[in-house]
Amino acid sequence: MTNTSRPAPAVEALGLRRRYGPAGDRGFDAVRGLDLTVRRGELLALLGTNGAGKTSTMELLEGLAAPTAGRIRVLGLDPYRERAALRPRIGIMLQEGGFPGELTVTETGRAWAGLTTGARPVPEALELVGLHHRRHVRVKQLSGGERRRLDLAMALLGRPEVVFLDEPSTGLDPEARAATWRLVRELREQGTTVLLTTHYLEEAEELADRLAIMHHGRIVTSGTVAEVIAGHPGRIGFELPERSGRYESLALPALPGAEVTAVGRRITVRTPALQADLTTLLGWAARHRIALGGLDARSASLEEAFLAVAAEPIDTSRPAPSPIGPAR
């Protein structure tokens, strides 16, 4: 009989919690009841407000710390208790690598390769991130962006099955960022599972199969970019003609569920039914032979969805599971 069951996920966490300090008011819960599943070959972007718990979550998944509560499996292994078995199969790019400044780029690669099972040749790793021409330069002489590229090269040295990237393009110029994005896409196309955190919403939109937004230690919304922004209103903006003659008593058509604001002759409509309300407005304008000046209609953006999450207060006294599961 053919086994049609879905393969085990690459990363799975259930009821994950991380507390700093003692119980009570003197401690702090950075991660509070987080559920997370990332399937093999998927790229998940983890977004969040400052202090949302992204880095604490990543450290737990990477096995750098033990959770206060909850269960984690990465490639079927507990990343903290079975770290020795898991470490050769994953790559980790921390927010800062902390490599010795006196070593050259090549020496750093060789030292790291000596600790990495099945490491690819160091020149190959440096070529991947565009650092081969800087191979004889000391780490302390690299720019901030070049150090981030070195961090990425070392994370990819062992040809990992799962890669954790914490703010991978911070400090990069636009050209280097674009090159990093190309490399991350190639990793995903080759079947590597990628979990990254980023403050760049454009980066999440460009790279992620799915994204999750954290706030106060929980994932409060998740899905594809389209799914995340679908619950937020679109916007229609236009300008009415100057009031005179037949326009004087003209009223806008009814738009149920929409929020309409006017500043002078400029009208803004925030609506959960963008296409229907735009059709209504265009039909109304055509019937009355009105030109809607500066007409602009657009769906909600990821930035708007993110800001809506950031503005939402959360009851930190009530633990709640996070609504994220495997992509379908």
Side-chain angles (χ1 to χ4, degrees), residues 5-308:
S5 62
R6 178 175 294 180
V11 179
E12 187 173 34
L14 180 64
L16 196 60
R17 302 181 69 87
R18 186 176 186 184
R19 182 173 180 82
Y20 295 92
D25 295 340
R26 292 184 298 167
F28 172 68
D29 291 308
V31 182
R32 302 182 303 111
L34 182 145
D35 296 343
L36 177 70
T37 302
V38 187
R39 68 180 183 181
R40 292 176 186 261
E42 182 178 39
L43 192 153
L44 179 80
L46 189 61
L47 310 177
T49 53
N50 287 330
K54 302 186 305 297
T55 296
S56 291
T57 298
M58 292 284 277
E59 289 176 351
L60 296 178
L61 299 176
E62 294 160 353
L64 300 179
T68 305
R71 177 182 183 273
I72 309 172
R73 291 294 181 270
V74 177
L75 299 175
L77 300 173
D78 183 312
Y80 186 76
R81 292 184 175 85
E82 300 176 280
R83 182 168 176 76
L86 180 63
R87 187 64 188 88
R89 302 173 63 188
I90 65 174
I92 299 174
M93 180 182 180
L94 302 176
Q95 285 189 359
E96 185 173 348
F99 297 117
E102 293 299 327
L103 296 181
T104 66
V105 169
T106 294
E107 289 168 345
T108 300
R110 288 173 179 165
W112 203 247
L115 303 172
T116 303
T117 302
R120 70 177 82 221
V122 172
E124 178 185 326
L126 298 180
E127 192 67 46
L128 281 175
V129 300
L131 273 185
H132 189 259
H133 69 293
R134 301 283 278 167
R135 61 191 180 277
H136 300 309
V137 174
R138 296 184 189 276
V139 169
K140 67 180 181 181
Q141 295 172 323
L142 298 176
S143 68
E146 288 172 335
R147 292 188 189 191
R148 291 307 286 153
R149 286 149 64 187
L150 178 60
D151 294 340
L152 179 57
M154 298 305 97
L156 301 180
L157 200 59
R159 309 179 193 273
E161 298 172 52
V162 178
V163 180
F164 297 93
L165 305 177
D166 203 351
E167 305 286 351
S169 62
T170 297
L172 300 185
D173 60 44
E175 182 181 6
R177 181 173 296 130
T180 297
W181 289 1
R182 286 195 298 271
L183 176 56
V184 172
R185 288 193 192 98
E186 290 170 4
L187 289 172
R188 183 185 59 185
E189 290 168 1
Q190 294 164 8
T192 304
T193 303
V194 182
L195 191 125
L196 67 84
T197 68
T198 181
H199 282 298
Y200 298 113
L201 300 182
E202 182 187 4
E203 184 164 81
E205 288 184 287
E206 285 285 331
L207 297 178
D209 298 306
R210 284 188 305 139
L211 55 86
I213 302 179
M214 289 190 70
H215 189 39
H216 288 194
R218 298 180 185 146
I219 294 172
V220 295
T221 187
S222 64
T224 65
V225 173
E227 290 168 344
V228 167
I229 68 177
H232 298 269
R235 186 172 65 249
I236 305 170
F238 57 91
E239 193 169 280
L240 291 171
E242 291 187 22
R243 287 185 173 275
S244 63
R246 64 190 183 89
Y247 300 132
E248 198 67 40
S249 60
L250 207 56
L252 289 172
L255 303 171
E259 176 187 322
V260 182
T261 57
V263 178
R265 292 186 291 121
R266 186 70 188 175
I267 306 297
T268 301
V269 179
R270 294 179 63 82
T271 171
L274 180 62
Q275 182 173 332
D277 285 353
L278 179 59
T279 300
T280 297
L281 284 166
L282 291 175
W284 171 81
R287 287 192 303 274
H288 294 283
R289 289 180 292 177
I290 293 174
L292 302 181
L295 178 63
D296 176 60
R298 64 185 68 191
S299 300
S301 67
L302 181 57
E303 180 179 8
E304 289 170 323
F306 181 86
L307 292 175

